[in-house]
Amino acid sequence: MTSQTQSVSLQDAIWDGSVPLDIRLSPQECRIYDQSDPYFIHYPRLSYLPFLLPRLHAFFSPFLIDPGVAPHEGWFSYEDVPLKWHYPLGLLYDLFSGAPPAQDDRSSPVQRPSTLPWRLTLHFTDWPGDQVVQPDAEGKVLHDAFINSVKEADFLRNGTAKGIMSLSKDDSTQLWNAVQQRMAHLTLLPFLRELTQPIYL
């Protein structure tokens, strides 16, 4: 297998990766405390949790104490820690539950409990403004956070963010739409072919 084939195969594996989620409504916001149904989904590692909010709001509406709350006001926590919504799901999973404990004794016969499906708690009130920036209804804050992270990645990879900075408004919009719609291969976007050429070591 050539380096180029391996690189494409790795890109496909990363793009197709997902994390099974078990999402529960916060008991403090539920009409029947903790008796609402959980929401199960296999969600792409390279996607963002706010894209799920309209679906989750519709699913949990019958259980919400305040069903009039807007979907974009939702936020997620893991073990009472608010999750930074502008990070891709896979990164959040790796940071919070994918790493073994600091005192991991591999010789111990005791099995660590599985972290899958990853159980998250959904909230629609008491936004943790001191820890997480609140998105807007139109999704502009998430879009800007995504574009900034792409610029940072481009700079780390190439020593300059000139490639991403030179995208036209249409190309930038097309990239964002592709991420939202989970296009099978972002590299099919003509302007990304040059930006995403594999780096061979």
Side-chain angles (χ1 to χ4, degrees), residues 6-133:
Q6 288 175 329
S7 179
V8 170
S9 177
L10 178 60
Q11 286 175 350
D12 287 344
I14 291 169
W15 182 253
D16 293 336
S18 64
V19 176
L21 299 177
D22 170 356
I23 301 172
R24 311 281 175 124
L25 182 62
S26 170
Q28 289 79 17
E29 300 178 46
C30 184
R31 292 174 193 237
I32 48 178
Y33 192 61
D34 62 353
Q35 299 303 310
S36 67
D37 295 330
Y39 187 90
F40 293 101
I41 187 172
H42 255 269
Y43 201 62
R45 286 182 57 90
L46 293 179
S47 196
Y48 297 86
L49 287 170
F51 294 153
L52 271 177
L53 288 173
R55 247 192 283 183
L56 292 171
H57 184 270
F59 180 82
F60 287 116
S61 275
F63 305 107
L64 283 169
I65 290 173
D66 179 11
V69 69
H72 76 274
E73 293 177 23
W75 58 280
F76 299 86
S77 66
Y78 173 69
E79 295 184 354
D80 297 324
V81 177
L83 298 179
K84 297 191 182 302
W85 53 262
H86 58 284
Y87 291 164
L89 173 66
L91 175 61
L92 290 170
Y93 175 75
D94 293 343
L95 288 172
F96 285 94
S97 72
Q103 301 298 321
D104 188 14
D105 181 4
R106 298 200 183 272
S107 62
S108 170
V110 178
Q111 295 287 327
R112 289 198 317 265
S114 172
T115 58
L116 294 175
W118 194 30
R119 182 178 284 191
L120 302 179
T121 303
L122 175 64
H123 311 260
F124 284 99
T125 60
D126 300 324
W127 185 271
D130 58 331
Q131 299 174 60
V132 182
V133 175

